[in-house]
Amino acid sequence: MDVKQLLSNNRKWAESMSARDPDFFPRLARQQKPEFLWIGCSDSRVPANEVVGMMPGELFVHRNVANMVVATDMNFLSVLQFAVDVLQVKQVIVCGHYGCGGVRAALGYETLGLIDNWLRALKALHHQNLPRFAGLSAEQQVNLLCELNVQRQVRNVCHTTIVQSAWRRGQSLAVHGWIYGLTDGLVKDLMVTVDSAAQLDETFLYDQ
């Protein structure tokens, strides 16, 4: 498949959408009012909208390698601030996936280049939880770290001044941690939802 095929696919998709709903694109162009922000992995096998059966305009999306939430990442912070403050999303979903290549790389010792710096936090997370990995197969270790990573990134989202400011002004906002199975297409809720500053450790609170 080449890029010309992609353009052809786009024309067919646009035509089929307009045939089903002639006002779809004009309506979409007028505004976007998503209630959800999706923070996911860049992996091409995890298409955010399709995984949860949502149409364009219903899901605001940020993706990076291994669905990381890094306090110094201005790209991520800009997305989060726009989603929370401007779009007024009500739900933030951090969604990782089993078999994540970034997580797998963090468990290894191969030098991959610039991305090694991005994955250092994952290496630290593994080190902090070493006893939990004892006796697990290589694949089980990858998948456990995938889950721990989602849990950590949920907390990282909540530790931002952006989310805490929203809670202080009474905005309804919940942050969820999910993980996607590549082998069955199913999303698992890791049950780590946070919807108020009261659920955070005191160390990470602002304006107490």
Side-chain angles (χ1 to χ4, degrees):
M1 181 180 293
D2 59 21
V3 293
K4 290 182 180 178
Q5 184 62 53
L6 300 184
L7 293 171
S8 175
N9 291 348
N10 168 254
R11 285 191 294 272
K12 292 175 183 176
W13 172 75
E15 290 168 1
S16 67
M17 294 298 292
S18 294
R20 276 189 281 168
D21 181 359
D23 191 47
F24 177 76
F25 289 111
R27 185 174 64 249
L28 201 61
R30 285 193 290 271
Q31 65 175 349
Q32 62 166 336
K33 294 282 292 181
E35 292 191 8
F36 304 90
L37 167 62
W38 175 282
I39 301 167
C41 182
S42 298
D43 195 301
S44 61
R45 299 168 293 178
V46 192
N49 284 69
E50 292 181 37
V51 163
V52 289
M54 301 190 85
M55 297 292 287
E58 296 180 328
L59 196 67
F60 200 59
V61 177
H62 175 79
R63 297 171 70 177
N64 62 50
V65 174
N67 43 272
M68 301 290 285
V69 174
V70 179
T72 55
D73 180 1
M74 295 303 294
N75 184 4
F76 163 73
L77 292 174
S78 297
V79 169
L80 181 65
Q81 188 272 326
F82 187 78
V84 173
D85 294 351
V86 180
L87 297 178
Q88 299 273 299
V89 299
K90 294 180 173 59
Q91 317 284 340
V92 176
I93 298 163
V94 179
C95 187
H97 66 95
Y98 292 120
C100 178
V103 172
R104 193 182 304 279
L107 284 170
Y109 300 96
E110 183 181 356
T111 299
L112 300 174
L114 181 64
I115 196 171
D116 296 328
N117 300 283
W118 182 255
L119 299 175
R120 280 181 61 192
L122 276 172
K123 284 185 173 290
L125 182 61
H126 172 238
H127 181 73
Q128 292 160 10
N129 292 274
L130 277 179
R132 299 185 61 177
F133 290 84
L136 298 181
S137 69
E139 200 61 24
Q140 287 173 330
Q141 289 188 44
V142 170
N143 290 338
L144 173 57
L145 189 54
C146 287
E147 291 187 352
L148 293 175
N149 182 43
V150 169
Q151 294 168 13
R152 173 62 59 84
Q153 305 317 321
V154 165
R155 307 300 286 191
N156 286 347
V157 171
C158 297
H159 294 162
T160 64
T161 56
I162 296 163
V163 168
Q164 292 192 36
S165 293
W167 283 331
R168 279 201 306 274
R169 62 177 176 260
Q171 186 172 334
S172 176
L173 184 64
V175 185
H176 311 275
W178 293 357
I179 194 155
Y180 175 76
L182 294 175
T183 59
D184 58 15
L186 297 177
V187 171
K188 174 184 176 183
D189 186 350
L190 294 178
M191 308 301 289
V192 290
T193 296
V194 181
D195 59 12
S196 76
Q199 295 169 260
L200 302 180
D201 296 329
E202 185 177 332
T203 302
F204 297 101
L205 297 178
Y206 297 95
D207 289 345
Q208 298 178 51

